[in-house]
Amino acid sequence: MTHQIRVGLFGTGRIGQVHAMSLATLDEATLSWVCDPFIEGAKQTAAEFGGRVTDDPDEVFASGEIDAVIVASPTATHLDLVAKAIEADVPVLCEKPIDLEISRVNAFREIAALSDVPVALGFNKRFDRHFVELKRRVAAEEIGVLEQLLITSRDPGEPPAAYLPQSGGIFRDMTIHDLDMARYFIPNIVEVSAQGANVFSDAIRHAGDFDSTVVTLRGSNDELVTIINSRHSAYGYDQRIEAFGSKGLLQVGNKNDNLVRHWGPRSVESIGPYQDFFLERYAEAYRLEVAEFLRAVRGLPSRSPGFEDGRAALILADAAEKSARTGTAVEVDLS
Amino acid sequence: MTHQIRVGLFGTGRIGQVHAMSLATLDEATLSWVCDPFIEGAKQTAAEFGGRVTDDPDEVFASGEIDAVIVASPTATHLDLVAKAIEADVPVLCEKPIDLEISRVNAFREIAALSDVPVALGFNKRFDRHFVELKRRVAAEEIGVLEQLLITSRDPGEPPAAYLPQSGGIFRDMTIHDLDMARYFIPNIVEVSAQGANVFSDAIRHAGDFDSTVVTLRGSNDELVTIINSRHSAYGYDQRIEAFGSKGLLQVGNKNDNLVRHWGPRSVESIGPYQDFFLERYAEAYRLEVAEFLRAVRGLPSRSPGFEDGRAALILADAAEKSARTGTAVEVDLS
Amino acid sequence: MTHQIRVGLFGTGRIGQVHAMSLATLDEATLSWVCDPFIEGAKQTAAEFGGRVTDDPDEVFASGEIDAVIVASPTATHLDLVAKAIEADVPVLCEKPIDLEISRVNAFREIAALSDVPVALGFNKRFDRHFVELKRRVAAEEIGVLEQLLITSRDPGEPPAAYLPQSGGIFRDMTIHDLDMARYFIPNIVEVSAQGANVFSDAIRHAGDFDSTVVTLRGSNDELVTIINSRHSAYGYDQRIEAFGSKGLLQVGNKNDNLVRHWGPRSVESIGPYQDFFLERYAEAYRLEVAEFLRAVRGLPSRSPGFEDGRAALILADAAEKSARTGTAVEVDLS
Amino acid sequence: MTHQIRVGLFGTGRIGQVHAMSLATLDEATLSWVCDPFIEGAKQTAAEFGGRVTDDPDEVFASGEIDAVIVASPTATHLDLVAKAIEADVPVLCEKPIDLEISRVNAFREIAALSDVPVALGFNKRFDRHFVELKRRVAAEEIGVLEQLLITSRDPGEPPAAYLPQSGGIFRDMTIHDLDMARYFIPNIVEVSAQGANVFSDAIRHAGDFDSTVVTLRGSNDELVTIINSRHSAYGYDQRIEAFGSKGLLQVGNKNDNLVRHWGPRSVESIGPYQDFFLERYAEAYRLEVAEFLRAVRGLPSRSPGFEDGRAALILADAAEKSARTGTAVEVDLS
């Protein structure tokens, strides 16, 4: 492939915009199609980043003018669009979650396995250079054998009430990122325990969802992973990982772009608050995620997570939901 | 009570020594009796800190020369000695756990409740001034409503293999401190989930115990508490608490008495390692624990944890053990 | 000015490249001329960033195709190019130092004062957002009255030996940035004391220059400013400011883009080293410096430092040199 | 000397009390005499810590009941009491400064040199374990060759106005500690430059003294030492040292006994302020200072600073005063 990779984009919401922007910064690719049933959204994105506009996915695939597609449309459409991409022999980067129904995912699994069309999943945290660095050092056995992992993930504020019903619940919507992060370090998870709580949001309670959760995973070597989530955080986006091993501890702390610290009569060493949410915190990661997908498109070795990672994360999220509802640890088999 | 409080000490092991030393620093009290079936231990302690020596607890109570007793003997003897103290109308400070059998504790409960003899439990962490400060600030609603609590507790190294069978298991021996700390912030716990793992110690595995655990508690207001334990830590004693509330976060970090930091080509801001274990980390707390007990002895208001706290911690530890063994969340009723 | 601002660039060394890159990121400007007596350098820069090529400055000014110029050529040419720009009525951004001879600067002063052509000086640190934030908070009297200032500035490694003779010495070449930073906080400096030392570099010693210096300035309100410089630093680029006031302390620490910290048996809280030098540390500042200059070009209010700031910095650098050579504090009059 | 060392104490002000308390914690010594012209002070100290009482130094020396003396009386009496101690063949620990008049010190120098009676000087910072650790690591060449030293020392609040006239000025009263610290790392200082300023205190200005100072010392190997002092600090006692070497940087930061950090919407990582002044910050150091002196009393090798260190510190303080008054660097010869 010597020319620029022509990419079709499905979905022009917040995350679709992010991917369009990433493409704009990458010389090797160009946005060739923008598809959204909300055609105004598609037009606006195309006006800013280029590409032809349609509300019909089939037009995109039929055009012959695409080398790859990015699926950032609502979750319910993910699997169908991935299927179309595989059928059309077009590599696809699909946002998480791959679907909200594991039965549908499993039904599709064989097709995905038999195909050699690259399918990448949008787990952006895998591309954050701090987490990548953490994994490199863990893999280099800097802390010996990995024994425990603690992932803290708190959003600045709860999502709009209107979004909650379609979110699939906190485990499939928010925790799923951390479940995939757990697998980034410990791929083979065998057991899931979870607790959900309602401590602050009436809207979330009314939606039948939890606003705060704790999930504990067990790896096949008896590693214990703890994931702590909250749908709000008064001090900003809280994204930390702590890896405890036989020979030491490694932590990824929160990012703070402010370097000014204050010393006064009532407190010292105070630093300005975290100001970003995921679009800022993971801006570079989103770009690297697309770049890594483009490697796969060009037939190069790529470390993008794939269909099986998307399926595994959903299985873990389902198990967490079940455990939180029943009070029982749930055994899982990701193989 | 105008004279010095005469204190009888049962048990002259490591923790008995600590209490003897604390008494030596407190002007208001004096060590009057030292009792240990291992009479050489009693003699040695008395030689250093004063007091008459015996291997017979009854001799202590019969002497009439005690105003209070401290029970630091093996766990199996705790309840009997507390019973003798109550019978003799002598205030007692008893080490944790109060017993390993909740049935025995429950059988004794009414006696304790009917008596007005002060019974204090040796949960030393409640007297650490950093945790006390944390509680004060949480109670002052500095972080609004307390929603989540994270307690990390890792010992520098595993206990001697010979100690394991009598320890009652990690939950009753080690986690019990953190279970009480959870109740220090959230007294009314209603549910316990736990996972145990064997990742590094053959000795612990052979003893049928876990070397690493995660416990999740639920408070009656749906607060979630996570306790992470390990029986070893390559970087020293790890004792942290993180309190997450609707308006902010408060953390108690690890204590590091070294102020020298290093900047070099390979790493910056490096500081010397934690060098202490609980005797050093909680030296001041142990002293304050005894001082607070002495207030109760003098009939003053005292914030020492009592029999019911000892019982609650054991119930939680039992529930954690059961949950870890069965994979099911265990409801508890501490009332 | 509705069209893009056409900028002529003099000098295509390291810093010329930086400015060309900044222009490329700013939509409102375009590189129209690239001038360097080393014509291959000019060609290469023009190939990457656009613009016509020449080795003759007069051709640039005569072309009528420039709205502004940036002077990043060797120091000896600065003043002449600024003079040509003023004569041609073209706004100019000139790199520091404005010249190495204060007599020449003074001779030119009246011309600069009488002209209303914007002359901006390339003191990039004034555009670093952390120092800007520090100044904002000092100006807001968050620490009351500013009493002391400490500026630490250490380069990763000494400059090439060949550069030393033309550098003007450490005070005019390196300290000058910090002298201007001092004036960013305390414009009116009245006294300069300095010490120079030779502790590590034979090359610098042979060039008759110092490798390590301490400068103390006195403001007109008796504020004391200390500047600590070294031409090398084993742990990377060290750029800190500490502002001490009647009500508190504010510090700007070093930037560290690595978030992974390590805890081990020999040290804890270790974080990866500083990896950048000024091109990375001040990348954003260089861009903002050019953007701010372009405001002046468009006739908008601009906070760019000007000719008088360049003169003041040179006077202070000269005074530092004199003080270091004579051991006597030197009074200065910047008015 | 098999019995307890009998120590006579001259002066029962704040620092005299500290030494009395240190003696009380050291088994090997006992307070045998307390001498103060303000006899009530002597009586009170003796009541608390033991010893006979007098207002006449000669009575102490004549009693034959002393093995050592500690001089914590007003500065003007130091040299006479040291002289009496040497005459009486009694080891003496003398508070800083040894005197305010270098001529008197020099006149006494030969007597001190000829005598083999141990004379220790009260430079308490040399006994702070963090500074000791810093020196150990510098001496071990962990940062290669020591090139620059930065000592920051700020008192929480200015001294009482009444004390100022007898203080000898900030250099002899306060900076002298840091001048000695400089010599702890770099014994051979050859040049002193200093600036004094009056930025906040009318009382200090009226006393003809400075409230803020910067001193730069040059070591015989061209090391540069910077000492920054202020007579007040809104955020508490500020005591830091930064040692810069060819291979890295070592810092001793401020001590903060509070472990609770706060994260909120306006700032993060805030920790409680420094609460102590020198009596708290250097409590352990004062005790170790006396303990080290007692080693000398018993004829053991001792690392206590001596008469020559006291003289050197005064020479440096005098030079700083002279430099600050004249604006000229002052060469010194400490040999």
Side-chain angles (χ1 to χ4, degrees):
Chain A
M1 198 172 296
T2 54
H3 64 81
Q4 275 192 312
I5 297 171
R6 297 163 304 177
V7 181
L9 174 67
F10 296 100
T12 58
R14 194 161 53 169
I15 198 72
Q17 300 285 330
V18 171
H19 291 313
M21 204 178 314
S22 292
L23 285 170
T25 68
L26 294 165
D27 287 344
E28 56 189 326
T30 186
L31 189 57
S32 63
W33 275 99
V34 181
C35 175
D36 198 312
F38 173 60
I39 195 73
E40 285 311 313
K43 283 180 182 168
Q44 214 172 315
T45 300
E48 189 169 359
F49 299 106
R52 297 172 62 186
V53 166
T54 181
D55 59 359
D56 177 10
D58 290 330
E59 193 182 348
V60 175
F61 287 108
S63 72
E65 289 163 2
I66 48 167
D67 304 310
V69 293
I70 295 179
V71 176
S73 49
T75 301
T77 66
H78 287 185
L79 216 46
D80 286 348
L81 288 167
V82 171
K84 282 181 199 289
I86 288 178
E87 212 177 284
D89 202 22
V90 172
V92 52
L93 167 60
C94 179
E95 263 308 308
K96 49 58 56 182
I98 189 156
D99 197 275
L100 293 177
E101 293 296 328
I102 190 65
S103 59
R104 282 169 45 89
V105 175
N106 283 336
F108 187 72
R109 194 182 186 198
E110 201 180 351
I111 298 168
L114 290 176
S115 155
D116 54 3
V117 175
V119 178
L121 259 288
F123 289 119
N124 56 290
K125 292 190 187 181
R126 286 198 187 215
F127 298 93
D128 176 71
R129 65 188 174 82
H130 309 290
F131 298 149
V132 169
E133 170 76 358
L134 177 64
K135 190 182 175 191
R136 187 190 66 71
R137 293 171 72 172
V138 168
E141 295 182 18
E142 208 177 289
I143 53 167
V145 177
L146 181 60
E147 296 179 1
Q148 298 180 335
L149 199 69
L150 172 63
I151 301 174
T152 302
S153 179
R154 291 169 178 139
D155 285 350
E158 52 183 305
Y163 172 73
L164 292 170
Q166 61 179 286
S167 72
I170 187 171
F171 294 116
R172 290 182 197 88
D173 181 54
M174 179 178 172
T175 313
I176 200 165
H177 279 293
D178 307 307
L179 293 166
D180 182 65
M181 273 316 273
R183 288 193 62 250
Y184 182 53
F185 289 90
I186 302 165
N188 196 13
I189 301 296
V190 298
E191 191 193 70
V192 181
S193 309
Q195 287 77 37
N198 294 94
V199 280
F200 67 86
S201 169
D202 284 342
I204 291 174
R205 182 196 306 267
H206 291 149
D209 198 3
F210 305 114
D211 56 34
S212 309
T213 59
V214 176
V215 177
T216 309
L217 309 174
R218 185 189 303 274
S220 55
N221 294 321
D222 235 14
E223 309 94 331
L224 292 177
V225 181
T226 306
I227 299 170
I228 296 180
N229 287 149
S230 175
R231 280 287 200 183
H232 75 164
S233 163
Y235 53 93
Y237 199 33
D238 190 357
Q239 298 281 292
R240 289 173 282 160
I241 299 189
E242 181 169 316
F244 174 82
S246 54
K247 293 183 181 164
L249 178 76
L250 286 167
Q251 290 182 355
V252 175
N254 279 311
K255 193 157 166 268
N256 194 329
D257 289 333
N258 198 333
L259 300 184
V260 188
R261 285 191 184 268
H262 178 263
W263 274 247
R266 280 194 303 269
S267 68
V268 299
E269 299 185 25
S270 300
I271 195 161
Y274 314 133
Q275 285 161 333
D276 52 19
F277 190 18
F278 68 101
L279 293 184
E280 296 80 26
R281 173 65 182 83
Y282 294 116
E284 187 193 28
Y286 279 114
R287 211 172 52 76
L288 294 174
E289 175 185 280
V290 171
E292 193 69 26
F293 168 60
L294 294 180
R295 286 178 55 85
V297 175
R298 289 202 306 274
L300 299 174
S302 166
R303 60 179 200 76
S304 297
F307 180 87
E308 287 296 317
D309 296 303
R311 176 178 174 264
L314 183 59
I315 290 174
L316 296 178
D318 284 353
E321 182 80 34
K322 184 177 170 190
S323 175
R325 298 294 174 190
T326 63
T328 308
V330 175
E331 285 184 31
V332 290
D333 180 356
L334 302 180
S335 67
Chain B
M1 196 174 296
T2 54
H3 63 81
Q4 276 191 312
I5 297 171
R6 298 162 303 176
V7 181
L9 173 67
F10 297 100
T12 58
R14 195 162 51 169
I15 199 70
Q17 300 284 331
V18 171
H19 291 313
M21 205 178 314
S22 292
L23 285 170
T25 69
L26 295 164
D27 286 345
E28 57 189 327
T30 186
L31 188 57
S32 64
W33 275 99
V34 181
C35 175
D36 198 314
F38 173 59
I39 195 72
E40 283 312 312
K43 282 180 182 168
Q44 214 171 318
T45 300
E48 188 168 1
F49 299 105
R52 296 173 60 186
V53 167
T54 181
D55 58 1
D56 177 11
D58 291 330
E59 191 181 348
V60 175
F61 287 108
S63 73
E65 288 163 5
I66 49 169
D67 303 308
V69 293
I70 295 178
V71 175
S73 49
T75 301
T77 67
H78 287 183
L79 216 47
D80 287 347
L81 289 167
V82 171
K84 282 181 197 291
I86 288 178
E87 211 178 285
D89 203 22
V90 172
V92 54
L93 167 61
C94 179
E95 264 308 310
K96 49 62 49 180
I98 191 158
D99 198 274
L100 292 178
E101 293 294 328
I102 190 65
S103 57
R104 283 168 44 91
V105 175
N106 283 337
F108 188 72
R109 194 182 186 198
E110 200 180 353
I111 298 168
L114 290 176
S115 157
D116 54 4
V117 175
V119 178
L121 260 288
F123 289 118
N124 56 291
K125 292 190 187 183
R126 287 199 186 215
F127 298 93
D128 176 69
R129 65 190 174 80
H130 309 289
F131 298 147
V132 169
E133 171 75 358
L134 176 64
K135 190 182 176 193
R136 186 190 66 71
R137 293 172 72 171
V138 168
E141 295 182 16
E142 208 176 291
I143 52 166
V145 176
L146 181 60
E147 295 178 2
Q148 298 180 335
L149 199 68
L150 172 63
I151 302 175
T152 302
S153 178
R154 292 172 178 136
D155 286 350
E158 52 184 305
Y163 172 72
L164 292 170
Q166 62 178 286
S167 72
I170 187 171
F171 294 114
R172 292 183 195 87
D173 180 54
M174 179 180 174
T175 314
I176 200 164
H177 278 293
D178 306 306
L179 293 165
D180 182 66
M181 272 317 272
R183 288 193 63 250
Y184 183 52
F185 289 88
I186 302 165
N188 195 12
I189 300 297
V190 299
E191 191 191 71
V192 181
S193 308
Q195 286 77 37
N198 293 95
V199 278
F200 66 87
S201 167
D202 284 341
I204 292 174
R205 183 195 305 267
H206 290 150
D209 198 2
F210 305 115
D211 56 37
S212 308
T213 59
V214 176
V215 177
T216 308
L217 309 175
R218 186 189 302 274
S220 54
N221 294 320
D222 235 15
E223 309 94 331
L224 292 177
V225 182
T226 306
I227 299 169
I228 296 180
N229 288 148
S230 175
R231 282 288 201 185
H232 77 164
S233 162
Y235 52 92
Y237 199 33
D238 189 358
Q239 298 281 291
R240 288 174 285 160
I241 299 188
E242 181 168 317
F244 174 82
S246 55
K247 294 183 181 166
L249 178 77
L250 285 167
Q251 290 183 354
V252 175
N254 279 312
K255 193 156 167 269
N256 193 332
D257 289 333
N258 198 333
L259 300 183
V260 187
R261 285 193 184 266
H262 177 262
W263 275 248
R266 279 195 302 269
S267 68
V268 298
E269 299 186 26
S270 301
I271 196 162
Y274 315 132
Q275 285 161 331
D276 51 19
F277 190 19
F278 69 100
L279 293 183
E280 297 80 27
R281 172 66 183 82
Y282 294 115
E284 187 192 28
Y286 279 115
R287 210 174 52 76
L288 294 173
E289 175 184 282
V290 170
E292 194 69 26
F293 168 61
L294 295 180
R295 285 179 55 86
V297 175
R298 289 202 307 274
L300 299 174
S302 166
R303 60 178 200 79
S304 296
F307 179 85
E308 286 296 316
D309 296 303
R311 176 178 172 264
L314 184 58
I315 289 174
L316 295 178
D318 284 353
E321 181 82 33
K322 184 176 169 191
S323 176
R325 298 293 174 190
T326 64
T328 308
V330 176
E331 285 183 33
V332 291
D333 180 357
L334 302 180
S335 70
Chain C
M1 198 172 297
T2 55
H3 63 79
Q4 275 190 313
I5 299 170
R6 297 164 303 178
V7 181
L9 174 67
F10 297 99
T12 57
R14 196 163 50 169
I15 200 70
Q17 300 286 329
V18 170
H19 291 313
M21 205 177 316
S22 292
L23 286 171
T25 69
L26 294 164
D27 286 345
E28 58 190 324
T30 186
L31 189 57
S32 62
W33 276 99
V34 182
C35 175
D36 198 312
F38 173 59
I39 195 73
E40 285 310 312
K43 283 180 183 170
Q44 214 171 318
T45 299
E48 189 169 2
F49 299 105
R52 296 174 62 186
V53 167
T54 181
D55 59 359
D56 177 9
D58 290 330
E59 191 181 351
V60 175
F61 289 108
S63 73
E65 289 163 4
I66 48 167
D67 304 309
V69 293
I70 297 180
V71 176
S73 48
T75 300
T77 67
H78 287 186
L79 216 47
D80 286 347
L81 289 168
V82 170
K84 283 180 197 289
I86 289 177
E87 209 178 287
D89 201 22
V90 172
V92 54
L93 167 60
C94 179
E95 265 309 309
K96 45 65 48 181
I98 191 157
D99 198 274
L100 293 178
E101 292 297 329
I102 191 64
S103 58
R104 282 167 45 89
V105 175
N106 285 336
F108 187 71
R109 195 183 184 197
E110 200 179 351
I111 298 168
L114 290 176
S115 157
D116 53 5
V117 175
V119 178
L121 259 287
F123 290 119
N124 56 290
K125 291 190 188 183
R126 287 199 186 215
F127 298 93
D128 176 70
R129 64 188 176 82
H130 309 290
F131 299 148
V132 169
E133 170 75 1
L134 176 64
K135 191 183 175 190
R136 187 191 64 72
R137 293 172 72 171
V138 167
E141 294 181 17
E142 208 176 289
I143 53 167
V145 177
L146 181 59
E147 296 178 2
Q148 297 181 336
L149 198 69
L150 171 64
I151 301 174
T152 303
S153 179
R154 292 171 178 138
D155 285 350
E158 54 183 302
Y163 173 72
L164 292 170
Q166 61 179 286
S167 73
I170 187 169
F171 295 114
R172 291 183 195 88
D173 180 54
M174 178 178 175
T175 313
I176 200 165
H177 279 293
D178 306 307
L179 292 166
D180 181 66
M181 272 317 272
R183 288 195 61 252
Y184 183 52
F185 290 89
I186 301 163
N188 196 12
I189 301 297
V190 298
E191 190 192 71
V192 181
S193 308
Q195 286 78 37
N198 293 94
V199 279
F200 66 87
S201 168
D202 283 342
I204 292 174
R205 182 194 307 264
H206 291 149
D209 197 2
F210 305 114
D211 55 36
S212 309
T213 60
V214 175
V215 176
T216 307
L217 309 175
R218 186 188 303 273
S220 55
N221 294 320
D222 234 13
E223 309 95 330
L224 293 177
V225 181
T226 307
I227 299 170
I228 296 180
N229 288 148
S230 175
R231 282 286 199 185
H232 75 164
S233 162
Y235 52 93
Y237 198 32
D238 189 358
Q239 296 283 292
R240 288 174 284 159
I241 299 188
E242 181 169 317
F244 174 82
S246 55
K247 293 182 181 167
L249 178 76
L250 285 167
Q251 290 183 354
V252 175
N254 279 312
K255 192 156 166 270
N256 193 330
D257 289 333
N258 196 335
L259 300 184
V260 188
R261 284 192 185 267
H262 178 263
W263 274 249
R266 280 194 301 268
S267 69
V268 298
E269 299 184 26
S270 301
I271 196 160
Y274 315 132
Q275 285 160 334
D276 50 22
F277 191 20
F278 69 101
L279 293 184
E280 297 80 26
R281 173 66 183 82
Y282 294 115
E284 187 192 30
Y286 279 115
R287 210 173 52 76
L288 295 173
E289 174 185 283
V290 172
E292 195 68 25
F293 167 60
L294 295 180
R295 286 178 55 86
V297 175
R298 289 202 305 275
L300 299 174
S302 166
R303 58 178 201 77
S304 296
F307 179 86
E308 286 296 318
D309 297 303
R311 176 179 174 263
L314 183 60
I315 290 174
L316 296 178
D318 283 353
E321 181 80 33
K322 184 178 171 190
S323 175
R325 299 291 173 192
T326 64
T328 308
V330 176
E331 285 185 33
V332 291
D333 179 358
L334 301 180
S335 66
Chain D
M1 199 174 295
T2 55
H3 65 79
Q4 276 191 310
I5 297 170
R6 297 163 302 176
V7 180
L9 174 67
F10 297 99
T12 59
R14 195 161 52 167
I15 199 70
Q17 300 285 329
V18 171
H19 290 312
M21 203 177 317
S22 292
L23 285 170
T25 69
L26 294 165
D27 286 345
E28 58 191 323
T30 186
L31 190 58
S32 64
W33 276 99
V34 182
C35 175
D36 198 314
F38 173 58
I39 195 73
E40 286 310 312
K43 282 180 181 168
Q44 215 171 316
T45 299
E48 189 169 359
F49 298 105
R52 296 174 61 184
V53 168
T54 181
D55 59 1
D56 177 9
D58 291 330
E59 192 181 350
V60 175
F61 288 108
S63 73
E65 289 162 4
I66 47 167
D67 304 309
V69 293
I70 296 179
V71 176
S73 49
T75 301
T77 67
H78 286 183
L79 216 47
D80 286 347
L81 288 167
V82 170
K84 283 182 196 289
I86 288 177
E87 210 178 288
D89 201 21
V90 173
V92 54
L93 167 60
C94 178
E95 264 309 308
K96 46 64 48 183
I98 191 158
D99 198 274
L100 293 178
E101 293 296 330
I102 191 63
S103 58
R104 282 169 43 89
V105 174
N106 284 336
F108 188 72
R109 194 182 184 197
E110 198 180 357
I111 297 168
L114 290 176
S115 157
D116 53 5
V117 175
V119 177
L121 258 289
F123 289 118
N124 55 291
K125 291 190 188 183
R126 287 199 185 213
F127 298 93
D128 175 70
R129 65 188 174 82
H130 310 290
F131 298 147
V132 169
E133 171 75 359
L134 176 64
K135 190 181 176 194
R136 186 191 65 72
R137 292 171 72 172
V138 168
E141 294 181 19
E142 208 176 291
I143 52 167
V145 176
L146 181 59
E147 296 179 2
Q148 297 180 336
L149 198 68
L150 171 63
I151 301 174
T152 303
S153 177
R154 293 171 176 136
D155 284 351
E158 53 184 302
Y163 172 72
L164 292 170
Q166 61 179 288
S167 72
I170 186 170
F171 295 113
R172 291 183 195 87
D173 181 52
M174 178 178 173
T175 313
I176 200 166
H177 279 292
D178 307 306
L179 293 166
D180 181 67
M181 271 317 271
R183 288 194 62 250
Y184 183 51
F185 290 88
I186 302 165
N188 195 13
I189 301 296
V190 298
E191 190 192 71
V192 180
S193 308
Q195 287 78 37
N198 293 93
V199 279
F200 66 88
S201 169
D202 284 342
I204 292 174
R205 182 194 306 266
H206 292 151
D209 197 3
F210 305 115
D211 55 37
S212 309
T213 59
V214 175
V215 177
T216 307
L217 309 176
R218 186 188 305 273
S220 54
N221 294 319
D222 234 13
E223 309 95 330
L224 292 177
V225 182
T226 306
I227 299 170
I228 296 180
N229 287 148
S230 176
R231 280 288 199 184
H232 76 163
S233 162
Y235 52 92
Y237 198 33
D238 189 359
Q239 297 282 293
R240 288 173 284 160
I241 299 188
E242 182 169 316
F244 174 82
S246 55
K247 294 183 180 165
L249 178 76
L250 285 167
Q251 289 183 355
V252 175
N254 278 312
K255 193 157 166 268
N256 193 330
D257 290 333
N258 197 333
L259 301 183
V260 187
R261 284 191 184 268
H262 178 263
W263 275 249
R266 279 195 302 270
S267 69
V268 299
E269 300 185 24
S270 301
I271 196 161
Y274 315 132
Q275 285 161 333
D276 50 22
F277 191 19
F278 70 99
L279 293 184
E280 297 79 25
R281 173 65 184 82
Y282 295 115
E284 187 193 27
Y286 279 115
R287 208 173 53 75
L288 294 173
E289 174 184 284
V290 172
E292 194 68 26
F293 168 59
L294 295 180
R295 285 178 55 86
V297 176
R298 288 202 306 275
L300 299 174
S302 166
R303 60 179 198 77
S304 297
F307 178 86
E308 286 296 316
D309 296 302
R311 176 179 174 266
L314 183 59
I315 290 173
L316 296 178
D318 284 354
E321 182 81 32
K322 184 177 170 193
S323 176
R325 299 291 172 193
T326 63
T328 308
V330 176
E331 284 185 34
V332 291
D333 179 357
L334 302 180
S335 67

